[in-house]
Amino acid sequence: MVASRQVVYEGFVRISKRAADMEGQQRRGPSSRRYMRRKRRDMMHVQVCLVLGVLGITWGVSALTDVSRLHLESFPGASLDQSQRRKLLAVANGTLEINCTEPAIHQFPTDVFSNSQRRQGAVVLHIVAAMYMFYALAIVCDDYFVVSLEKICEKLSLTEDVAGATFMATGSSAPELFASIIGVFITHSDVGVGTIVGSAVFNILCIVGVCSLFAGQVVHLTKYAVFRDSFCYTLSVLALMAFIYDGRITWWESLVLVFMYVGYILVMKFNSSIQRFFTRGGSVKAITNGNAAFNPDDYSFHGDGNDPTKRLLPEGPANKMTSGEEGNHEQVLNSPFRVPGSPMEIFKWLVSWPILFLLFLTLPDVNQPRWEKYYLVSFFGSTVWIAVFSYVMVWMVTVVGFTLGIPDVIMGITFLAAGTSVPDCMASLLVARQGQGDMAVSNSLGSNVFDILIGLGVPWSIQTLAVSMGSQVLINSRGLFYSVVLLLGSVTLAVLGIHVNGWRLDTRLGVYVLLLYVIFLTISILIEYNVFTFINLPMCLEG
């Protein structure tokens, strides 16, 4: 009997330690966020494999699709040979006739390699450059942009609900936002819209799938949190479907998207009251746009979890014992002048050294007390670097797509979307491993709402109201509408799968949603290649 009580007590202590550690990390705020950034940086190889896997699926499906024989007979100039049909301007009956879509590669500086050289292997350099820009964006967003946004939220005394739905959402979705801006104002293509649509599908399917498969435990979800975020997300998708149906965006349509996000902020502001109403006064677990508000007790376990003689200690001493080590490790990872210890960390430090050195020279680190007052300088400076890195990223991805014969919109839906969303995927996986399933799902769905309503609404509003008053933004790819329809179907099937699975994230659900993601990619690519019916003119290639 004594032995049984001893086993039960030890089990209770281990559970208490784990719960206290999780709550303590969330409670420590910036220290916990540094921990999450460091752990996400440690998973760099996983992120690379995931992005390359998406590119491999895209290339494979595209290669299996013989574009030259799919419905080309119905194109203008069908009697011409293939190279002539794929020119931007074709001569027919003495008039110039467009029979293919001009690629966005011509909106960027001329590449140092010719198309034939890239096809012979130089395209690998462009893939590596694009991957490096994904990594650079993750570093500048995590270490400077998001940190400066945290300081701004503190100075404005914003509640966690509003801060999470506004400034912090901007921090996590900055790459998608700038990709959209580049698509509207520089390339005048659908690469930005494709990136946001593809990122939305990646977030709801791939992130949930990865969390389900690799959380290391069965994670339970709260019905209200999933319903709230999926409902707001569904409204966003329906609005996007309605506005892009005719292939053009007007000023009032772009403003509707922006004002819908204002409504979303209000929902997050009064989230606790709304939850009490729908749960009939039940307990409230505040989860807002991926940021959870915890109310832990003031104790954290310290010592060996298997030793029942150890006791729970107040949170303060535990923090003092761990924050110093964590801060020193973080400084090593972020400093271009301090070499870390282990061989793997040295390799990662060398890979990131050019970025770290560049950012060290140009941006103040507001994590350091002496630079904290320069948070606005860090904010605007990091914004400039995000714009620069995003431009190079879109440029390299456009070159890769043109070389492989993949249209810009497909590269946006697949490769760009995965590259910009993988950091969020790793962040969701980390919190899912701590048992916080609601936070993981809310992170993915909340990012989707921001991407659609702000990532598209703001650039479209600037173009139609400020740059050219009363103008319209054209949607070149008709296939994007069908991709958005698939986007709506993906969230419906995902939430239905979660419901059927008993509101749990486990292996069965993970396989299901990842299979849905592969199906979405395949159908979207086939639609863009006119496999089912004629949708788009083919992309113009070099003769």
Side-chain angles (χ1 to χ4, degrees):
M1 179 67 72
V2 175
S4 299
R5 285 199 298 267
Q6 182 79 355
V7 171
V8 171
Y9 179 77
E10 290 178 1
F12 169 78
V13 169
R14 285 194 293 270
I15 294 173
S16 300
K17 174 183 183 298
R18 184 177 183 184
D21 285 346
M22 289 193 306
E23 293 170 344
Q25 283 181 2
Q26 296 295 334
R27 197 175 174 201
R28 286 193 288 268
S31 176
S32 175
R33 286 187 284 271
R34 287 198 300 269
Y35 168 81
M36 296 290 287
R37 290 196 292 267
R38 175 169 59 83
K39 293 297 293 182
R40 191 164 60 184
R41 195 83 52 84
D42 291 343
M43 302 173 71
M44 179 179 64
H45 60 290
V46 179
Q47 302 178 51
V48 170
C49 293
L50 190 56
V51 175
L52 290 179
V54 173
L55 179 60
I57 294 174
T58 305
W59 192 11
V61 176
S62 299
L64 292 175
T65 307
D66 187 3
V67 183
S68 64
R69 65 178 178 81
L70 292 176
H71 303 284
L72 281 178
E73 293 76 12
S74 61
F75 292 164
S79 60
L80 304 176
D81 60 39
Q82 178 180 346
S83 62
Q84 289 174 310
R85 283 201 301 266
R86 300 302 293 275
K87 295 296 185 181
L88 176 61
L89 297 178
V91 179
N93 300 324
T95 60
L96 292 178
E97 187 175 348
I98 297 177
N99 64 3
C100 62
T101 303
E102 182 180 9
I105 191 174
H106 300 307
Q107 307 298 326
F108 293 98
T110 304
D111 192 41
V112 295
F113 297 100
S114 66
N115 199 37
S116 60
Q117 289 174 327
R118 293 194 299 267
R119 289 176 179 174
Q120 292 172 2
V123 69
V124 175
L125 298 177
H126 298 78
I127 295 176
V128 172
M131 300 289 293
Y132 199 68
M133 288 301 101
F134 293 149
Y135 190 50
L137 281 169
I139 291 178
V140 70
C141 287
D142 282 348
D143 297 345
Y144 294 93
F145 189 63
V146 172
V147 177
S148 63
L149 288 174
E150 291 172 355
K151 301 298 181 182
I152 293 175
C153 292
E154 292 175 6
K155 297 298 180 181
L156 296 177
S157 300
L158 296 180
T159 64
E160 184 174 341
D161 306 75
V162 177
T166 53
F167 288 102
M168 304 316 299
T170 305
S172 64
S173 299
E176 291 92 337
L177 174 60
F178 278 89
S180 177
I181 291 174
I182 292 171
V184 172
F185 298 105
I186 297 179
T187 66
H188 306 289
S189 68
D190 296 329
V191 64
V193 186
T195 300
I196 287 181
V197 172
S199 177
V201 179
F202 186 95
N203 286 341
I204 186 60
L205 296 181
C206 202
I207 289 182
V208 172
V210 169
C211 292
S212 300
L213 289 177
F214 302 106
Q217 58 183 313
V218 176
V219 181
H220 296 270
L221 301 175
T222 303
K223 294 181 181 180
Y224 168 78
V226 176
F227 172 79
R228 178 202 64 201
D229 293 322
S230 59
F231 177 75
C232 295
Y233 171 52
T234 300
L235 290 180
S236 305
V237 175
L238 289 174
L240 181 61
M241 284 176 54
F243 294 158
I244 71 170
Y245 178 75
D246 59 355
R248 59 190 73 241
I249 303 296
T250 61
W251 65 268
W252 67 267
E253 291 172 334
S254 60
L255 279 183
V256 168
L257 295 180
V258 175
F259 282 116
M260 285 181 67
Y261 196 75
V262 175
Y264 177 69
I265 294 175
L266 293 176
V267 170
M268 305 313 296
K269 172 67 177 177
F270 301 102
N271 174 65
S272 298
S273 300
I274 297 174
Q275 183 174 358
R276 289 191 186 95
F277 175 79
F278 282 104
T279 57
R280 292 178 175 84
S283 61
V284 174
K285 185 178 182 181
I287 301 168
T288 58
N289 201 37
N291 299 306
F294 291 90
N295 295 304
D297 48 30
D298 294 329
Y299 293 92
S300 175
F301 187 90
H302 176 66
D304 182 3
N306 294 321
D307 187 355
T309 63
K310 301 294 182 181
R311 52 193 290 272
L312 293 175
L313 296 179
E315 181 71 29
N319 287 350
K320 293 179 181 177
M321 294 176 196
T322 59
S323 61
E325 298 175 0
E326 185 177 298
N328 290 335
H329 186 78
E330 184 72 16
Q331 290 177 4
V332 171
L333 286 179
N334 293 340
S335 173
F337 306 113
R338 300 182 64 180
V339 182
S342 67
M344 180 57 68
E345 288 185 350
I346 292 177
F347 171 75
K348 295 175 182 177
W349 178 80
L350 289 174
V351 170
S352 59
W353 189 89
I355 306 171
L356 296 177
F357 183 70
L358 192 62
L359 298 178
F360 176 83
L361 291 180
T362 56
L363 299 177
D365 184 3
V366 296
N367 279 317
Q368 306 298 325
R370 61 174 178 169
W371 298 111
E372 186 175 357
K373 61 182 178 181
Y374 299 104
Y375 62 92
L376 287 179
V377 176
S378 181
F379 169 73
F380 289 110
S382 58
T383 300
V384 172
W385 279 120
I386 291 173
V388 172
F389 293 153
S390 298
Y391 179 85
V392 178
M393 173 189 69
V394 176
W395 178 15
M396 292 297 102
V397 170
T398 301
V399 172
V400 172
F402 182 79
T403 305
L404 301 179
I406 303 174
D408 302 325
V409 64
I410 293 181
M411 291 300 291
I413 289 176
T414 56
F415 189 50
L416 262 179
T420 56
S421 300
V422 158
D424 280 344
C425 180
M426 295 299 103
S428 295
L429 176 58
L430 290 173
V431 297
R433 285 179 172 176
Q434 295 179 345
Q436 302 299 324
D438 288 339
M439 189 187 300
V441 175
S442 294
N443 177 53
S444 60
L445 289 173
S447 296
N448 288 354
V449 175
F450 180 91
D451 288 346
I452 293 175
L453 300 182
I454 297 297
L456 294 177
V458 168
W460 287 346
S461 297
I462 295 174
Q463 173 63 31
T464 57
L465 291 174
V467 176
S468 180
M469 181 66 180
S471 64
Q472 297 178 337
V473 176
L474 300 181
I475 305 297
N476 301 314
S477 172
R478 182 64 179 171
L480 264 177
F481 174 78
Y482 298 99
S483 295
V484 176
V485 173
L486 292 175
L487 178 60
L488 180 62
S490 68
V491 67
T492 303
L493 292 176
V495 174
L496 180 62
I498 292 174
H499 171 71
V500 173
N501 202 49
W503 303 92
R504 297 174 301 173
L505 300 181
D506 56 16
T507 303
R508 181 172 61 178
L509 179 67
V511 173
Y512 167 73
V513 293
L514 287 179
L515 181 60
L516 287 179
Y517 182 65
V518 174
I519 293 174
F520 168 83
L521 291 185
T522 303
I523 296 178
S524 296
I525 294 172
L526 295 179
I527 287 175
E528 290 295 332
Y529 279 133
N530 301 316
V531 170
F532 303 111
T533 184
F534 178 74
I535 299 294
N536 300 311
L537 292 171
M539 182 177 68
C540 302
L541 301 176
E542 294 181 355

